[in-house]
Amino acid sequence: MTTLTADLPEGRIWRFGWMFGAIWLVYLIYPLNDILALEHTPAKVAGVMTIVAFGVVFTSTFWRFRTGLRRGKPLPTSQAWIALGVMITLTVFMSLSIDTTAFGATVYIAVLAMMTLPVRQAWALVVVMVALVEAVPRLVSSWEPDTFFAFQLLISAAAAWGITQVFQRNHELAVARQQLADLAIVAERERMSRDVHDILGHSLTVITVKSELAGRLIEIDPARAAVEIAELETLARQALADVRSTVGGMRQVDIGSELASVRTALNAAGIDADLPGDADVVPLRHRELFGWVIREAVTNVVRHSSARHCRVTLTASSISIVDDGVGPAEGGSDNGGNGLRGLGERVKASGGSLTIARVSTGGFGVEVSAE
């Protein structure tokens, strides 16, 4: 889970995170002065201990709130209410000694409530406290009413609510960024696996066909078999180079080079190839996509079709590959397998359309139209 301060070491967050809350305790100096001005020493000691306890509860709860927010684990509402209840009790105890001066502590309660409680609960608590700081001094004859505390409560609560919204939006933004980064990694892995599958699938298919041909020729035409075996070595080296360049992000597929490659594959498989003489009609923006299309489609022809003839047709915005074989078996494991799924993803990403269907010659047809 991404945190809002991912650039800070975790140890530093734990050691110094409490300081962000403790720094605001400076405003408790006012009730502290009144407590130190009390006549009786036991009352002074009790009052100081109350303020210290109040500060510890506020600081620790604020620290737990910030730490939980960074880790994506908000402070439980029940724990927040316990801390607020303790702070309210301590404020009441202080007010018994220093009267309305203790009401300054309610600002800390309002701020903490806005940060740790659901919005409705937080505002309900603030409204109740505003009513109390306004009503209680008027009900206790020895206390002097002061509307300043109610104003402080409302302003502090509104400010804390705004800051909390910023915290939450920043956290949500950080989470969204991490999710986008994770999705980008997944997409890149899928792209890499698709590229490696398509490259190896085609190369290994040609190597398999040529190996079978060399095996048949080795007794009846050793010289021709030697040529085929030499080409096998070249194909294997090229496949290895293609995989390395793909992993390195340097692999460039082009319809022109793929036409020459599939001609070799079809001839080795004994399939009559009807291919365009060149690919100059294809604009630059479509050349890579059409290269992947012809590579995958012809690989399927060689593997599955048992065809005698394969025709490739090129235009500036489309490519079609048609054979007269049987195509993948209906419901077979290769029908719509990884290769064709990967091809569909490529075409979709390029904004084109892919059509795969049986044709009138009885074989299998693949057609891609690009915008």
Side-chain angles (χ1 to χ4, degrees):
M1 180 65 68
T2 299
T3 66
L4 300 183
T5 56
D7 56 326
L8 292 177
E10 186 71 16
R12 291 182 61 185
I13 295 175
W14 276 76
R15 289 197 300 270
F16 303 117
W18 61 271
M19 295 178 61
F20 292 100
I23 193 172
W24 299 106
L25 297 179
V26 64
Y27 294 105
L28 290 176
I29 192 70
Y30 300 108
L32 179 62
N33 286 336
D34 283 8
I35 288 175
L36 294 177
L38 295 174
E39 295 182 0
H40 303 291
T41 300
K44 290 181 181 180
V45 174
V48 171
M49 292 179 61
T50 301
I51 288 184
V52 171
F54 185 93
V56 169
V57 174
F58 174 81
T59 303
S60 61
T61 306
F62 184 83
W63 171 77
R64 291 176 61 195
F65 160 74
R66 283 176 56 87
T67 303
L69 190 63
R70 294 174 192 277
R71 296 175 176 176
K73 298 179 180 179
L75 181 69
T77 301
S78 59
Q79 296 184 19
W81 270 114
I82 292 174
L84 292 169
V86 172
M87 292 170 66
I88 291 172
T89 302
L90 294 173
T91 302
V92 171
F93 184 80
M94 281 191 287
S95 67
L96 297 177
S97 301
I98 56 176
D99 302 338
T100 56
T101 307
F103 287 173
T106 58
V107 172
Y108 294 91
I109 300 173
V111 168
L112 199 61
M114 282 296 172
M115 290 185 173
T116 59
L117 295 179
V119 176
R120 292 185 178 180
Q121 295 182 27
W123 277 112
L125 178 60
V126 170
V127 169
V128 170
M129 287 194 298
V130 168
L132 288 175
V133 299
E134 284 292 309
V136 171
R138 291 172 172 79
L139 296 176
V140 180
S141 58
S142 60
W143 289 10
E144 296 182 3
D146 190 344
T147 57
F148 182 68
F149 289 124
F151 177 76
Q152 277 187 318
L153 272 175
L154 292 174
I155 294 299
S156 300
W161 180 81
I163 294 173
T164 303
Q165 295 303 305
V166 172
F167 282 170
Q168 292 177 349
R169 296 299 180 269
N170 288 343
H171 175 67
E172 291 170 359
L173 180 60
V175 172
R177 286 175 176 172
Q178 183 62 45
Q179 290 175 343
L180 289 176
D182 293 342
L183 289 175
I185 292 173
V186 172
E188 179 61 17
R189 287 175 177 172
E190 291 178 349
R191 183 198 67 81
M192 184 66 68
S193 63
R194 184 173 63 238
D195 287 358
V196 172
H197 171 275
D198 292 349
I199 289 170
L200 286 181
H202 175 77
S203 299
L204 294 178
T205 296
V206 177
I207 289 173
T208 300
V209 172
K210 279 187 167 291
S211 298
E212 294 173 350
L213 178 60
R216 293 194 299 268
L217 293 173
I218 198 166
E219 293 184 358
I220 59 177
D221 192 348
R224 173 73 185 283
V227 172
E228 296 293 335
I229 292 173
E231 291 183 358
L232 283 174
E233 180 182 358
T234 301
L235 287 170
R237 291 182 183 277
Q238 183 60 46
L240 180 59
D242 287 346
V243 171
R244 287 174 174 171
S245 62
T246 298
V247 173
M250 300 179 294
R251 172 66 179 174
Q252 295 294 325
V253 173
D254 182 81
I255 182 61
S257 60
E258 292 304 320
L259 278 174
S261 177
V262 299
R263 185 183 299 275
T264 300
L266 291 170
N267 289 338
I271 300 174
D272 182 26
D274 182 4
L275 306 177
D278 58 59
D280 293 342
V281 68
V282 181
L284 183 62
R285 65 181 183 277
H286 297 327
R287 295 184 71 86
E288 181 178 2
L289 174 63
F290 287 3
W292 285 113
V293 173
I294 194 172
R295 171 184 280 264
E296 178 58 35
V298 172
T299 298
N300 278 342
V301 171
V302 173
R303 281 180 175 175
H304 310 297
S305 70
S306 301
R308 292 177 298 175
H309 182 84
C310 178
R311 182 177 74 254
V312 176
T313 305
L314 278 178
T315 70
S317 61
S318 66
I319 179 174
S320 68
I321 300 92
V322 178
D323 65 73
D324 61 354
V326 297
E330 293 289 349
S333 61
D334 293 316
N335 193 16
N338 291 331
L340 293 180
R341 281 198 299 271
L343 181 58
E345 292 171 0
R346 291 184 193 279
V347 174
K348 182 179 180 180
S350 300
S353 61
L354 170 65
T355 302
I356 303 174
R358 295 193 179 277
V359 294
S360 58
T361 56
F364 210 56
V366 175
E367 182 175 2
V368 170
S369 297
E371 298 181 354

